[in-house]
Amino acid sequence: MKVDRRDFLKIIGVGSTAAAVSGCTFQGLGTALQLTQEEKYPEPGPESWVASTCGQCFGGCGILVRKIAERAVKIEGNPANPVNRAGLCPLGQSSLQLLYNPDRIKQPLLRAGQRGEGKWETIDWDKAISILSGRLKEIRQKGEPHTLVLVSGKERGLLSGIFQRFLEAYGSPNFISGAPRDPMDIARRIMEGTERSTYDLENATYILSFGLNLLDGWRSPVRQMRAYANMRQGRPGRRGRLIQVESRLSVTAANADEWAPINPGTEGVLALGLAHVMIREELYDKDFVRRHTFGFEDRVDEKGLWLAGFKTVVMEDYTLDRVAKITGVGADRVMRLGRDFASAEKPLALFGGRSSNSSFSAMAVHSLNALVGNIGAAGGALTEPRGPLPSWPAVAKDGLAQKGQAMPRVDQARKREPSAGNGLESLADAILSAKPYPVQALLVHGANPLFTASNRKKMAAAVMKVPFLVSFSPFVDETAAFSDLILPDHIYLEKWDDEPGPRGLPFPYIGLRQPVVEPLYQSRHSGDVFLALAGELGGELAKAFPWKDVKECLLDRFKRIYESGAGTVAEGEFEAPWIKFLEERGWRYPATATFEEFWEKLQAKGSWWDPAAARGGETRGFMTPSGKFEFTSSKAGRRQPFPRYEAPRFSGDEKSYPFYLNVYTALALGEGSGANQPFLQEIVGPHVNMHWDSWVEMNPETARRLGIKDGQWVFVESPSGKVKTRAKIYLGTMPGVVNIPLGQGHTAFGRWAKGRGVNPLDLIGEDYDQMSGLAALLSTRVKVYKA
């Protein structure tokens, strides 16, 4: 049957807290939908709009939620928000299907059978908090607070701060972020001494992107799209150019001026080939290199040893013929790209690969930015400005907390360099080996490691070894399914929170998240759960959290920002120059007489920002030992990585497994968090006419040679596993490469996600970038054959 407009409103939440999908055709989208018989249409009520901040990703987009009576019925972008200016990506638009999802957990659950068996006992919150606080007290009484581990999907913001403060007062050093890390951040940490990376995309005139999904989900999707539009059309008569270098014709490549296909894992050598052209033809910025860099020329160290500089290495080892042979990019094109990049007014090079050599490749790419002198310059690579984000009073740690905090982190096993960050994948090794010590309790919030970890089979074995596992997921996802206790968090539309600016934003920003509807079920804000836990545990832990709830904590944070005198509530697109003009002269715009007035305005508009703190003009500031950009380290005797090509490692021999496997993320599903929303399932693969499923993209000639037709079922097999999916012939696939999107293949996570498609991580061989510890997702060879 067809669904009319009234039924459509019912599905997205008007008149239903459990609108469901699966049995009738949704007109216009073709989605299968099923309506429950007991649903009733709402009575007419007053209309209102509430400002908040989207929580579907870390993009920081402001939203306006339309309500009829007390029910949310539509979400739009907030024009006052400086990140998205009324724009909104599909994730934000589909948020009502998150709120009114029929598979939400309605109250705390206690495991009643074996782990993973799916048997649960519903309990009230008093009992749930008592169980959790009891286990944490027991661990502390044994003198082992360091054996508590918390995995969080976020590393910044109010809630993350509460988690980390709790662990500090409790005595555990083990806050592990499941948020993805950027190889360019690693490169900038090594070469500049900071990884607070941002890029002036709006003012760049030539962007050379090496495998970065700039227009398909990177960092803040709407902000990147707006920046790209400004680069292309925001300056009359000066159209910027985008060159995309990667093995697949992605959304970014399809929108670029030029797509340069390249052999997987060889982006770094191409970057050094471009550097060869720029140095040989003296097209680089000699003044910047002379004044602001270290290690470009040969030198003699303190021990009298001669050390080759970047210039010598590039000129001797990265000739055009060698670069062309390794990368598959013709020598003529390498020469042209090098000349074009060097001659552009404001060129910018970016990298986003995830091979076993990703850090070296990122360093090679970032070397191009140094050669053109765009670091700290308009249109180039900038450092993220710091806003007046106030810190809380220091935690007064008791003896147990001090002892626990001094213990090594459980994820240190894979730290090769100081630049390496928290390692989600290395957690599995630490648990299984019980080194440096056994993990007694694991708390998971906003992450699903049993689905997203590249070594998820090992992670599943590790989870079974942890004595006590707690999930805060609002859904029974793969990790929650194996938990001992589930304490469901609110959906973001039901709670107070903040959203710091997404990584790469050129100005300080905080989005306010406020409840637009009352909680539909007996879920609870995870921050309030931790405040309650601190009270139960007592002592210095209780003293560390003087707030009665998260809202009071949030008010305290914004009051400190207000008292700093910096920034203002964001109101419109044309206010930035005026704010900057006034702040530079000691005035505040717009003036608010009291914090109460500021808070009321913030709730109405939805965000705070400080455009006056944004970088302007050229600023050279490096936190390295030499005080300069370092092609190689100035520290004598320290083993320092050098921008060079390191051949990528691949699991599987070329004869048995002839194809490189490229796994990629699409905006709709990301790494899988959007798979339980029908609107997102509908738009997952428009370029190959696929939805609600997975596929493997094949080059037409490759498919013809194997006798495989479009839409045919095939097996994709690696040394690590085998999956069955449909073959899709895609002209944007290089010969010798096959592509599978991430996001499908759930074994839990609700009716719209479970049992659909395959998870290509089942094929990935376990390997890591040795410098950063980042999982090498592009490190596997496969074979494809008819099912």
Side-chain angles (χ1 to χ4, degrees):
M1 81 184 211
K2 291 186 177 181
V3 181
D4 64 17
R5 183 175 180 275
R6 286 172 58 84
D7 286 329
F8 168 70
L9 291 176
K10 190 176 180 184
I11 290 160
I12 65 169
V14 182
S16 168
T17 59
V21 188
S22 95
C24 51
T25 303
F26 176 64
Q27 188 175 8
L29 287 180
T31 308
L33 302 172
Q34 175 186 356
L35 305 178
T36 57
Q37 296 298 321
E38 66 274 11
E39 304 280 49
K40 296 182 179 180
Y41 297 116
E43 295 296 327
E47 179 180 321
S48 61
W49 292 84
V50 181
S52 190
T53 303
C54 184
Q56 285 269 52
C57 67
F58 306 139
C61 290
I63 59 174
L64 293 174
V65 182
R66 179 177 175 237
K67 295 175 62 178
I68 296 178
E70 295 303 314
R71 189 165 302 281
V73 299
K74 186 70 171 71
I75 297 180
E76 303 281 1
N78 185 349
N81 189 284
V83 174
N84 58 312
R85 297 296 185 198
L88 197 61
C89 76
L91 279 71
Q93 294 282 359
S94 70
S95 293
L96 292 181
Q97 293 192 333
L98 193 69
L99 176 66
Y100 295 112
N101 194 301
D103 296 313
R104 285 184 58 184
I105 302 172
K106 296 175 174 59
Q107 64 188 92
L109 299 177
L110 178 66
R111 178 169 59 84
Q114 298 296 315
R115 276 189 175 171
E117 193 176 358
K119 294 182 179 179
W120 304 97
E121 173 190 350
T122 58
I123 58 177
D124 60 34
W125 276 101
D126 288 342
K127 183 175 181 179
I129 292 176
S130 176
I131 292 172
L132 179 53
S133 64
R135 294 299 291 261
L136 296 186
K137 284 179 182 177
E138 181 182 330
I139 292 172
R140 271 199 127 227
Q141 288 168 358
K142 293 179 180 178
E144 300 175 340
H146 56 282
T147 63
L148 171 66
V149 177
L150 192 152
V151 173
S152 173
K154 291 182 66 175
E155 60 181 350
R156 305 198 298 179
L158 179 72
L159 188 56
S160 175
I162 289 174
F163 291 159
Q164 294 181 61
R165 187 174 179 84
F166 180 90
L167 291 177
E168 183 180 2
Y170 183 82
S172 172
N174 293 312
F175 176 83
I176 297 179
S177 172
R181 300 195 73 218
D182 191 333
M184 282 292 281
D185 287 345
I186 306 297
R188 297 193 69 173
R189 166 68 70 83
I190 295 169
M191 305 175 91
E192 296 183 50
T194 179
E195 61 178 82
R196 296 188 295 115
S197 305
T198 186
Y199 303 96
D200 190 5
L201 304 174
E202 289 89 343
N203 294 308
T205 61
Y206 188 101
I207 295 179
L208 184 57
S209 168
F210 293 81
L212 184 67
N213 58 336
L214 184 66
L215 303 179
D216 200 26
W218 180 61
R219 292 190 173 178
S220 179
V222 178
R223 188 258 162 174
Q224 312 307 346
M225 293 175 190
R226 291 183 66 245
Y228 174 71
N230 186 78
M231 183 197 78
R232 302 280 278 185
Q233 302 177 1
R235 297 159 297 191
R238 297 174 61 200
R239 179 183 174 88
R241 287 176 56 79
L242 171 64
I243 311 300
Q244 184 72 5
V245 180
E246 62 177 320
S247 62
R248 175 179 178 269
L249 184 67
S250 63
V251 170
T252 304
N255 284 277
D257 295 277
E258 180 179 348
W259 171 45
I262 188 170
N263 292 330
T266 65
E267 296 87 354
V269 73
L270 177 62
L272 295 174
L274 269 58
H276 178 99
V277 174
M278 295 163 65
I279 295 172
R280 186 185 67 183
E281 300 185 6
E282 297 189 343
L283 301 175
Y284 64 96
D285 187 334
K286 298 183 184 65
D287 182 65
F288 179 89
V289 170
R290 177 178 56 83
R291 294 171 54 200
H292 299 291
T293 72
F294 178 90
F296 182 76
E297 301 286 355
D298 301 341
R299 66 188 177 96
V300 177
D301 68 8
E302 296 175 354
K303 297 180 180 180
L305 296 175
W306 176 84
L307 299 174
F310 178 78
K311 176 180 177 180
T312 296
V313 172
V314 167
M315 294 307 296
E316 292 182 356
D317 295 348
Y318 298 98
T319 61
L320 296 186
D321 289 341
R322 180 171 184 252
V323 169
K325 182 178 180 180
I326 294 173
T327 64
V329 179
D332 290 343
R333 176 178 263 187
V334 175
M335 182 178 296
R336 177 174 56 80
L337 289 176
R339 290 171 175 171
D340 290 350
F341 185 77
S343 61
E345 180 186 358
K346 296 178 181 178
L348 176 62
L350 302 169
F351 175 77
R354 288 294 298 272
S355 298
S356 62
N357 61 358
S358 60
S359 292
F360 285 119
S361 296
M363 292 176 66
V365 170
H366 196 38
S367 296
L368 297 177
N369 291 321
L371 289 177
V372 296
N374 74 357
I375 299 173
L382 309 179
T383 299
E384 191 175 56
R386 293 189 184 275
L389 301 183
S391 58
W392 288 319
V395 172
K397 297 186 283 286
D398 61 20
L400 272 176
Q402 293 178 35
K403 180 181 176 181
Q405 283 277 304
M407 295 293 287
R409 293 173 54 91
V410 294
D411 62 349
Q412 283 193 342
R414 191 160 284 117
K415 287 193 175 182
R416 306 286 193 248
E417 292 284 335
S419 57
N422 302 342
L424 179 60
E425 278 82 4
S426 62
L427 177 62
D429 288 325
I431 293 173
L432 291 172
S433 67
K435 294 179 181 179
Y437 43 77
V439 172
Q440 297 297 328
L442 176 61
L443 313 181
V444 181
H445 181 277
N448 185 12
L450 291 192
F451 183 79
T452 62
S454 62
N455 59 348
R456 68 196 201 106
K457 294 177 182 177
K458 182 183 289 185
M459 186 69 73
V463 161
M464 295 299 289
K465 190 176 178 180
V466 176
F468 190 56
L469 173 62
V470 180
S471 170
F472 294 85
S473 173
F475 300 93
V476 180
D477 58 26
E478 284 78 2
T479 305
F482 282 83
S483 298
D484 300 292
L485 183 65
I486 305 178
L487 306 179
D489 195 359
H490 293 323
I491 297 299
Y492 82 86
L493 293 166
E494 301 171 322
K495 64 182 180 180
W496 293 99
D497 205 349
D498 71 354
E499 185 65 55
R503 295 296 303 272
L505 204 63
F507 48 79
Y509 162 91
I510 302 179
L512 173 67
R513 186 167 294 135
Q514 58 182 321
V516 300
V517 295
E518 292 295 320
L520 301 181
Y521 307 114
Q522 295 179 46
S523 54
R524 184 172 293 188
H525 197 309
S526 295
D528 288 333
V529 172
F530 273 78
L531 265 60
L533 279 175
E536 289 288 320
L537 293 171
E540 297 300 335
L541 252 169
K543 293 178 183 178
F545 294 93
W547 312 281
K548 68 177 182 180
D549 55 26
V550 169
K551 182 181 179 181
E552 187 175 290
C553 183
L554 188 67
L555 279 165
D556 176 67
R557 169 165 288 194
F558 274 108
K559 188 172 183 180
R560 293 169 186 263
I561 292 173
Y562 171 79
E563 291 171 348
S564 74
T568 184
V569 173
E571 294 192 74
E573 189 165 2
F574 303 105
E575 63 185 352
W578 184 236
I579 294 171
K580 187 172 183 178
F581 175 84
L582 291 176
E583 282 202 13
E584 288 173 348
R585 289 155 180 79
W587 295 83
R588 184 168 187 161
Y589 168 86
T592 48
T594 65
F595 170 71
E596 288 70 24
E597 183 182 345
F598 171 87
W599 176 247
E600 183 177 353
K601 194 169 191 177
L602 182 64
Q603 291 181 82
K605 297 295 184 179
S607 63
W608 169 95
W609 71 323
D610 187 7
R615 282 289 175 105
E618 296 191 356
T619 304
R620 315 295 191 197
F622 301 105
M623 305 297 292
T624 56
S626 66
K628 298 181 177 182
F629 178 95
E630 295 189 349
F631 287 103
T632 188
S633 176
S634 61
K635 282 187 175 181
R638 179 175 182 266
R639 179 183 174 273
Q640 172 69 17
F642 195 84
R644 68 175 189 270
Y645 171 63
E646 181 183 79
R649 299 180 300 275
F650 288 94
S651 170
D653 65 276
E654 184 175 358
K655 183 177 181 181
S656 301
Y657 302 95
F659 303 109
Y660 295 110
L661 173 63
N662 174 40
V663 299
Y664 67 94
T665 58
L667 174 60
L669 300 186
E671 293 186 344
S673 60
N676 64 347
Q677 298 164 57
F679 285 177
L680 300 181
Q681 286 279 13
E682 279 289 336
I683 62 172
V684 68
H687 63 294
V688 289
N689 195 29
M690 288 291 290
H691 51 262
W692 294 89
D693 206 347
S694 296
W695 63 91
V696 55
E697 296 168 1
M698 302 184 68
N699 178 271
E701 179 58 29
T702 301
R704 186 198 62 77
R705 179 166 49 84
L706 296 177
I708 294 173
K709 298 180 179 180
D710 187 69
Q712 187 172 1
W713 287 101
V714 295
F715 286 115
V716 182
E717 184 176 348
S718 76
S720 301
K722 180 171 70 172
V723 299
K724 181 181 179 182
T725 188
R726 291 187 184 275
K728 296 300 294 184
I729 310 304
Y730 182 48
L731 286 169
T733 305
M734 285 184 65
V737 180
V738 295
N739 312 303
I740 303 180
L742 293 163
Q744 303 280 25
H746 282 278
T747 57
F749 205 34
R751 69 195 69 183
W752 298 326
K754 183 178 179 180
R756 298 188 183 278
V758 300
N759 188 342
L761 294 179
D762 290 337
L763 300 170
I764 299 297
E766 187 176 2
D767 198 1
Y768 302 87
D769 174 44
Q770 292 188 359
M771 189 188 309
S772 67
L774 292 173
L777 299 184
L778 308 181
S779 61
T780 302
R781 287 184 172 274
V782 297
K783 58 184 176 182
V784 182
Y785 52 94
K786 296 178 183 179

